[in-house]
Amino acid sequence: MAWFVLVIAGLLEVVWAVGLKYTHGFTRLWPSVITVVAMIVSVALLSWSMKTLPTGTAYAVWTGIGAVGAATTGIILLGESASLARIASLALIVIGIIGLKLSTH
């Protein structure tokens, strides 16, 4: 269950990371509300998952999901670069996340 909660926390990190772009410095109400709520829930779920998962593993997976998700969203929705080097780097992060999952007891 902790891994499922951690994945949800990571996906919410993507929501707030991308949401920051749409808040325009927290000057737009609804994007700001969505972003702040996603931040709070994401960190709360991360904290909950750390009750049973190792801290370093949980934090690394959470940030990895957020980084890969935000970069992928940037490529798909915001027209950011999809160069081979960028895609390969994202793949390495995913491999690291999988490795951490497989090595956690």
Side-chain angles (χ1 to χ4, degrees), residues 3-92:
W3 280 102
F4 176 75
V5 170
L6 182 59
V7 169
I8 299 302
L11 294 174
L12 285 170
E13 186 185 7
V14 176
V15 171
W16 69 256
V18 174
L20 286 171
K21 176 87 170 169
Y22 294 98
T23 68
H24 294 276
F26 292 101
T27 60
R28 297 179 64 213
L29 178 63
W30 289 112
S32 297
V33 168
I34 291 166
T35 299
V36 170
V37 168
M39 286 176 173
I40 292 167
V41 175
S42 178
V43 171
L45 293 176
L46 170 63
S47 175
W48 187 89
S49 72
M50 285 181 169
K51 288 180 181 181
T52 56
L53 296 175
T55 300
T57 298
Y59 185 75
V61 169
W62 180 68
T63 57
I65 292 169
V68 170
T72 302
T73 302
I75 291 168
I76 294 169
L77 296 180
L78 304 174
E80 296 176 1
S81 168
S83 68
L84 180 59
R86 192 164 191 209
I87 300 299
S89 298
L90 292 172
L92 288 172

